Amino acid sequence: MSQSPWRVAVPAAIACLSGFASAHAQAAPRVGPAHGTVIVVGGGSMGPEIYQTFITAAGGPDALIIDIPTAGGDSTYAQDDPSASVWRAAGARNVVVLHTTDRKVADSDSLAHVIAKAGGVWFEGGRQFHLVDSYAGTRTEAAFHAVLDRGGVIGGSSAGATILGDFLVRGAPSNDNTIMDDPRYEKGFAFLRGVGIDQHVVARERLTDLADSIMPRHPELLGMSEDEGTAWVIRRDTARIIGRDKAFAYGGAANDDRKPFLTLHPGDWYDLRSRTVIRRAKYGLLTHGFFDTLFAGYRDAAQGGATVLVAKGGQVLIDASYGIPDQPKYMPTTTVPQFLLGSITDVFKALCAELSPPLGGRTVLPPTRTRLQTCIATRISTPIGMHKTTATTEGVVQSDVDELYRLALGLEHSETYRAADTARAFDINAGWQHDRMYGTDRYRASGTADGHRAAFVRMPEMQFTVIILTNDDHVDASAMADQVLRQMFRSVRD
């Protein structure tokens, strides 16, 4: 069995992050923690690389991890709450759920005493004002900070990510999460100083919100956001992006062209103090110039546009569009618009066939959905956090390079789809054409039978993923993907 690129990348990420942080050791950190690690996740389904990074930073599988579900708004939570069970399934053997809505309890030693033994604290999603009402200014909040002071890890997802910042975004005491700022709830727990954090920004098309509502009134802030399943991993003032999609920095030293933020990808490093990129993910001969030449025919929107994503070992080396006009709400042109997948649909059909109920089982379909539509919307999309991939009643599937990359990562992590079908084994490579390139297994799918229009290639042993989508039935997308792969193999040899 090939190794998951997530599993390979985690120890290296921790070591490199520690190395970058030590380079700034002479100056007290301005934004991040003086000790320990902060992990900020944009909500949604997380991949194993985030779980493993958090567990490692907490001290390993036997470290005490405190799970705080309070943002969810319930009055009580059991020790077998699903949020804690997910951490146990990810390998954490010592998980304790802590929760109260009573500030007197939070200001006593009862919770703080337990937290004092923890290597990590994780804040679950919900509404951030519940966390403020329960813990702000109490001994429990002080105990959270003490976890970092002794070198542990603090992290959270969705509302649990926003609370990690200094300025509290979407903190209004309401179920209306579109309210960006409430004067009564502007203070987060400030594990990251001078920072306001947003989440779900691509999945829920929120990229304009920080730019329009918060940054003009608080230009001194560093605005941070991240899409679902994507994380900032921060030690001192150094951050590395890991996960499934993009992160965004507002108020930094530079922005993307025609946008009020800078886009970061998994594998990129960012300096929170100077608000500049430290290093972009790169790999040998795969330069932007190479891709600009390869896709030169698609710079004109009249050609119908093209997108490309190339990744190695969890690092996104290129995620670019050619001939795609700017999209509303600053949405990434690699996410919107969607492309017809053509014969790549066979991958979805084969996976749905493998995920179908065992013989004798029965699935009740919604009256307006086909079996394929239901499978893509639930069985395929939910575990990996896809939102925009769709199928018509005629079986025509549309997607984008960003979501197909989520699928590639999910397939390389065997438990992603097998967890729901533990009673039987199945072939995650069904629907792919299999051959070998340079002595290594290659799994290919293309938009047409002869390799035109689109190409989706995985090489699990090398941890290579190449995805090309176009609207051009005449382009040999498979040949273009082969050119990319040859550059990657030349980089290995060099």
Side-chain angles (χ1 to χ4, degrees):
M1 177 185 293
S2 61
Q3 285 184 303
S4 164
W6 286 337
R7 289 176 176 164
V8 171
V10 168
I14 292 292
C16 290
L17 192 55
S18 299
F20 273 119
S22 65
H24 297 278
Q26 293 182 352
R30 182 179 298 166
V31 179
H35 309 282
T37 305
V38 176
I39 299 180
V40 184
V41 182
S45 301
M46 300 193 310
E49 82 292 354
I50 297 177
Y51 289 108
Q52 291 170 21
T53 299
F54 185 89
I55 291 169
T56 298
D62 293 320
L64 174 60
I65 291 176
I66 304 296
D67 186 78
I68 307 289
T70 305
D74 288 345
S75 57
T76 61
Y77 291 90
Q79 289 301 315
D80 61 353
D81 184 77
S83 62
S85 298
V86 171
W87 282 102
R88 296 183 183 110
R93 293 192 279 264
N94 191 7
V95 182
V96 172
V97 176
L98 285 187
H99 164 72
T100 187
T101 58
D102 187 337
R103 288 183 58 82
K104 291 182 179 179
V105 173
D107 205 28
S108 70
D109 288 332
S110 57
L111 299 186
H113 178 72
V114 179
I115 298 169
K117 304 174 184 178
V121 173
W122 184 264
F123 295 96
E124 301 288 349
R127 297 294 294 124
Q128 28 285 55
F129 73 88
H130 292 302
L131 294 165
V132 175
D133 287 346
S134 290
Y135 306 118
T138 68
R139 294 185 187 182
T140 296
E141 186 193 355
F144 296 150
H145 283 271
V147 173
L148 285 181
D149 291 342
R150 59 179 179 265
V153 58
I154 298 287
S157 182
S158 190
T162 300
I163 197 67
L164 307 178
D166 195 341
F167 184 93
L168 190 62
V169 178
R170 302 185 195 273
S174 165
N175 287 327
D176 182 359
N177 62 13
T178 66
I179 302 171
M180 292 297 289
D181 181 15
D182 187 302
R184 299 166 295 170
Y185 288 83
E186 287 187 337
K187 184 65 176 173
F189 291 164
F191 302 113
L192 300 175
R193 297 176 293 278
V195 168
I197 300 171
D198 205 3
Q199 14 73 17
H200 298 284
V201 289
V202 175
R204 299 183 184 178
E205 301 190 2
R206 290 176 167 180
L207 282 165
T208 59
D209 293 358
L210 274 179
D212 293 346
S213 300
I214 303 299
M215 300 307 296
R217 290 185 293 111
H218 299 279
E220 76 285 357
L221 288 176
L222 172 63
M224 293 171 53
S225 69
E226 54 292 320
D227 193 31
E228 295 183 355
T230 309
W232 299 73
V233 182
I234 299 162
R235 289 176 63 88
R236 298 180 67 83
D237 284 336
T238 301
R240 184 176 190 264
I241 309 303
I242 64 174
R244 298 177 170 182
D245 204 345
K246 302 173 180 67
F248 307 88
Y250 299 71
N255 289 337
D256 297 347
D257 186 30
R258 302 184 303 280
K259 293 180 180 178
F261 50 73
L262 178 72
T263 302
L264 300 165
H265 299 88
D268 290 346
W269 298 82
Y270 191 78
D271 188 320
L272 303 178
R273 173 187 284 266
S274 65
R275 303 187 180 185
T276 59
V277 173
I278 297 172
R279 188 179 77 191
R280 292 286 191 178
K282 60 182 180 179
Y283 189 67
L285 301 173
L286 291 176
T287 64
H288 280 273
F290 167 79
F291 288 102
D292 288 346
T293 299
L294 188 62
F295 287 88
Y298 295 93
R299 292 178 181 171
D300 185 347
Q303 299 299 318
T307 57
V308 56
L309 185 146
V310 178
K312 181 185 186 303
Q315 297 188 80
V316 174
L317 309 176
I318 187 76
D319 185 21
S321 68
Y322 296 86
I324 305 293
D326 291 345
Q327 298 297 306
K329 300 182 181 180
Y330 304 124
M331 285 293 286
T333 51
T334 52
T335 299
V336 180
Q338 302 286 283
F339 288 80
L340 296 174
L341 296 188
S343 296
I344 296 175
T345 297
D346 292 344
V347 169
F348 289 85
K349 291 179 177 178
L351 186 55
C352 283
E354 295 285 336
L355 289 171
S356 63
L359 189 63
R362 182 183 177 190
T363 299
V364 178
L365 300 177
T368 58
R369 278 187 179 178
T370 66
R371 186 176 298 277
L372 179 65
Q373 287 177 309
T374 299
C375 175
I376 290 176
T378 58
R379 301 299 300 279
I380 294 180
S381 296
T382 298
I384 59 176
M386 293 196 312
H387 293 280
K388 297 185 178 299
T389 300
T390 61
T392 67
T393 54
E394 293 77 24
V396 178
V397 178
Q398 298 183 84
S399 190
D400 56 78
V401 293
D402 294 337
E403 294 219 330
L404 292 180
Y405 179 53
R406 290 175 181 261
L407 177 60
L409 290 173
L411 292 173
E412 300 316 320
H413 179 61
S414 62
E415 298 307 313
T416 302
Y417 293 119
R418 289 193 173 112
D421 292 80
T422 53
R424 61 194 186 92
F426 59 87
D427 181 9
I428 62 172
N429 294 315
W432 298 82
Q433 296 177 337
H434 172 256
D435 60 11
R436 291 177 70 80
M437 183 178 191
Y438 296 115
T440 301
D441 287 330
R442 176 172 62 171
Y443 297 93
R444 298 182 298 152
S446 55
T448 65
D450 56 359
H452 285 64
R453 191 181 182 94
F456 188 1
V457 184
R458 298 163 38 238
M459 300 190 75
E461 295 172 52
M462 301 300 296
Q463 304 171 33
F464 292 165
T465 302
V466 179
I467 307 168
I468 296 172
L469 299 179
T470 80
N471 287 313
D472 186 353
D473 284 329
H474 302 291
V475 66
D476 192 340
S478 292
M480 295 173 73
D482 284 349
Q483 290 185 60
V484 175
L485 290 170
R486 283 193 289 271
Q487 287 289 86
M488 297 179 85
F489 277 100
R490 288 190 189 110
S491 299
V492 171
R493 293 197 299 268
D494 291 347

